[in-house]
Amino acid sequence: MRGSLPEKFDIVVAGAGVAGAMIAKRLAASGYSVLLVDRKPERLLGKKVCGDAIGLHHFKNIGMEIHENFIRNRVRGVKIYSPNTRTVFSIQGDGVVLERERFGRFLIKSAVNSGAEVRTSTYATKPLVNGDSVIGVELFDLKRRHVYRVYARIVVDSTGAVATLRRRLPRKFWASEEVSIEDYNIAYREIRVLDSEIEEIDFMSIYLSNTIAPGGYWWIIPRSKYEINIGLGVQMREKYPNPKINFYRYIVTKSIFNRSRILHSGSALVPTRRPIAAPVANGFVAVGDAAMTANPIHGGGIGPAMMSALLASRAIEHALDEGDPSIENLWSYPLNYMRSYGAKQAALDIFRLFLQKLEDDDLNYGMEKRLITEEDVYIASTDGELRISTIDKAMRVLRGLTRPSLLFKLKLVAEYMYALKMHYYNYPSSPREFPRWYNKGENLLAKYLSKLYS
Ligand SMILES: Cc1cc2nc3c(=O)[nH]c(=O)nc-3n(C[C@H](O)[C@H](O)[C@H](O)COP(=O)(O)OP(=O)(O)OC[C@H]3O[C@@H](n4cnc5c(N)ncnc54)[C@H](O)[C@@H]3O)c2cc1C
């Protein structure tokens, strides 16, 4: 309570990243009362430790035009280097490197212009729960150091990878699904100005190496002729190395960084798995990283975060128009998300679990012998499928003879990618059928993991 009466809004959105700002904007524009809070002070809004790269198809998918003002650089694709750097896959795809802070602030300003109220330096501590419903959120005013409550018909968790509210829901809520720490990468990244021109300004580079970046990769994303976004992410598995230490040990020692200057640096978490299976509850919705919507292979999460916000805002409007913010009325959000992106994400999670198990020798061998080809990687990234045609299969068996187990595992991966993708396409059309669907998916995954590790 700020004044004497408890405050009430139609929607309270916790977290003003791309997902939160977008959902707040859309709902405020539809005439609902919206409160958008963020723990950051005003001057830091819009900032995020990120690679800032996004495929143009993401904007097309959500029907948004990206203004030149928000584009720092344009890229034509990505080059993926094997650990020994002898094999390079060149994957084409038009994308941009965002002026991230400007873009983030623009989204928040659009929310304000549409009528949303924004409170900065405000930490969402926990959801307020009454029986089976979320009815509001407890907030901590970081400047005045006091705790108060606001009530809402729907609370949105868009707090990013920390998922503060979702994780604090009672266990009986499906949305509180626990996520293994191994399903995150921790990444350190810097923005640097180089002393000499970048060779290829229109290609991003991804370097695979389980020595330098176990369970992750390191990257260079060109921002201009002399400026780069460079970082290193590692899977948070047992005894994982500090990414900053590896960054300074293996990357910055390279000659291209001689006399370079740091403009910005920082670390952050990257979700790298399938989406939260039911990111909704009575009076509650989780979007973006809080719902684990990023791509499990490369961690690209800006596009899916915006997509989830768009689909969630439609479901929220429907629920509020019906006068009942129940899980049933919000269900179209996960249903549409799974069909538009979640199914592919689930398939890529199968691939990710395989990749994270490989040694550098396997990666070098697999890429050099083309057990996986550039085309396979392209199709996997667009369709979430690893297609191995009959002829290719025979050829690959010949090529792969010295490592038949690798080829066998690859076939297993292709099979389960398809199975899990189909499972997510068949997401239940109502919450009633969810427990059966969920258990089936968990069994599928358990079976895959036992075969993968055997
Ligand atoms: C190092 C790194 C590199 C990446 N590179 C790329 C890339 O090149 N391309 C790409 O597409 N994606 C990339 N990603 C992923 C991408 O940044 C995220 O997927 C995306 O920003 C998710 O948006 P979001 O709105 O869900 O969360 P966020 O952008 O994380 O926003 C969450 C907001 O919530 C606020 N918040 C957190 N907790 C609370 C709380 N309790 N109360 C109030 N406010 C709170 C935070 O201050 C923040 O403003 C990268 C991520 C990292 C870490």
Side-chain angles (χ1 to χ4, degrees):
M1 204 184 301
R2 275 188 136 192
S4 53
L5 286 171
E7 288 184 284
K8 283 188 185 156
F9 294 86
D10 288 325
I11 304 115
V12 174
V13 181
V18 282
M22 197 161 161
I23 208 165
K25 188 236 155 191
R26 287 186 60 88
L27 293 167
S30 295
Y32 297 106
S33 60
V34 178
L35 173 66
L36 173 63
V37 303
D38 201 287
R39 65 181 174 187
K40 287 179 189 157
E42 208 283 331
R43 73 189 158 80
L44 295 182
L45 284 184
K47 280 189 191 288
K48 162 94 186 171
V49 172
C50 183
D52 305 336
I54 175 168
L56 284 174
H57 62 281
H58 287 292
F59 291 103
K60 197 169 160 222
N61 290 346
I62 59 164
M64 184 185 200
E65 275 192 28
I66 180 77
H67 196 275
E68 280 300 323
N69 211 16
F70 304 126
I71 299 176
R72 176 76 193 184
N73 186 24
R74 286 186 182 271
V75 288
R76 287 190 296 125
V78 58
K79 291 195 172 169
I80 305 173
Y81 291 80
S82 63
N84 60 14
T85 65
R86 283 210 284 270
T87 314
V88 187
F89 283 2
S90 185
I91 316 290
Q92 311 287 321
D94 289 337
V96 295
V97 181
L98 290 171
E99 284 285 6
R100 188 63 191 278
E101 184 180 352
R102 200 180 288 168
F103 181 62
R105 289 185 85 88
F106 160 78
L107 292 177
I108 295 168
K109 200 164 165 229
S110 306
V112 173
N113 291 344
S114 300
E117 179 183 339
V118 176
R119 287 183 199 163
T120 53
S121 301
T122 301
Y123 188 86
T125 331
K126 62 176 186 193
L128 302 175
V129 177
N130 184 9
D132 289 334
S133 302
V134 174
I135 54 163
V137 59
E138 184 183 89
L139 299 175
F140 180 50
D141 183 330
L142 293 159
K143 275 194 189 145
R144 294 178 191 81
R145 317 290 307 165
H146 84 102
V147 176
Y148 62 102
R149 294 172 159 210
V150 290
Y151 293 87
R153 294 160 80 193
I154 293 188
V155 171
V156 176
D157 185 351
S158 46
T159 58
V162 287
T164 315
L165 300 181
R166 189 182 66 70
R167 288 191 304 112
R168 291 188 184 155
L169 287 171
R171 290 296 300 143
K172 66 178 177 184
F173 283 62
W174 298 332
S176 72
E177 181 179 343
E178 234 173 279
V179 173
S180 159
I181 194 80
E182 295 191 354
D183 288 342
Y184 293 93
N185 264 31
I186 173 89
Y188 174 76
R189 86 96 176 87
E190 291 183 350
I191 296 186
R192 277 191 182 238
V193 182
L194 302 179
D195 192 42
S196 51
E197 257 188 49
I198 297 155
E199 267 177 33
E200 268 185 308
I201 193 182
D202 54 354
F203 263 91
M204 303 180 288
S205 303
I206 283 183
Y207 297 85
L208 303 174
S209 166
N210 268 317
T211 316
I212 299 175
Y217 60 87
W218 69 274
W219 71 85
I220 296 181
I221 298 174
R223 289 169 53 84
S224 68
K225 269 187 192 165
Y226 289 91
E227 204 175 291
I228 54 169
N229 179 311
I230 174 168
L232 186 153
V234 303
Q235 185 189 16
M236 293 177 77
R237 58 190 175 210
E238 213 187 351
K239 295 189 187 146
Y240 64 89
N242 180 329
K244 185 173 176 180
I245 290 179
N246 279 17
F247 184 88
Y248 274 88
R249 180 175 298 157
Y250 298 109
I251 315 296
V252 176
T253 43
K254 294 180 191 298
S255 60
I256 60 158
F257 299 108
N258 289 349
R259 294 177 300 281
S260 63
R261 223 164 14 96
I262 303 172
L263 293 184
H264 187 270
S265 67
S267 300
L269 286 178
V270 192
T272 55
R273 57 153 252 177
R274 61 206 172 279
I276 293 298
V280 283
N282 294 326
F284 179 84
V285 165
V287 289
D289 278 8
M292 305 294 284
T293 54
N295 183 306
I297 299 290
H298 52 63
I302 304 170
M306 293 195 295
M307 169 64 82
S308 71
L310 173 73
L311 298 174
S313 66
R314 285 185 190 149
I316 291 172
E317 278 196 46
H318 165 72
L320 294 183
D321 285 352
E322 290 290 309
D324 175 20
S326 63
I327 189 168
E328 285 81 9
N329 280 333
L330 292 166
W331 200 251
S332 65
Y333 158 45
L335 179 64
N336 289 326
Y337 180 79
M338 296 315 173
R339 286 182 184 165
S340 60
Y341 192 75
K344 176 175 119 177
Q345 215 190 315
L348 291 178
D349 199 17
I350 293 283
F351 197 26
R352 184 265 309 188
L353 290 161
F354 166 70
L355 285 177
Q356 285 180 329
K357 263 188 60 65
L358 294 180
E359 301 292 336
D360 281 356
D361 279 353
D362 291 330
L363 281 166
N364 287 329
Y365 184 86
M367 286 177 73
E368 191 186 322
K369 300 285 179 204
R370 296 291 199 266
L371 297 187
I372 292 181
T373 65
E374 275 161 324
E375 199 195 346
D376 292 334
V377 175
Y378 178 77
I379 292 173
S381 68
T382 51
D383 299 352
E385 279 181 36
L386 206 52
R387 285 182 205 150
I388 301 181
S389 74
T390 327
I391 303 164
D392 262 3
K393 241 191 245 171
M395 282 173 59
R396 286 170 203 191
V397 169
L398 287 177
R399 287 192 200 133
L401 271 183
T402 54
R403 284 177 200 235
S405 68
L406 192 58
L407 196 73
F408 174 76
K409 291 265 154 86
L410 207 51
K411 280 193 226 160
L412 180 81
V413 171
E415 191 186 312
Y416 276 86
M417 277 178 78
Y418 184 73
L420 204 65
K421 182 176 154 178
M422 285 304 131
H423 181 65
Y424 273 71
Y425 267 135
N426 292 319
Y427 193 78
S429 52
S430 89
R432 266 193 320 278
E433 304 143 48
F434 177 78
R436 234 183 87 224
W437 175 88
Y438 182 73
N439 289 336
K440 197 175 161 198
E442 288 300 288
N443 288 339
L444 206 64
L445 260 168
K447 222 160 133 189
Y448 168 66
L449 288 174
S450 80
K451 286 185 182 174
L452 191 65
Y453 289 99
S454 67

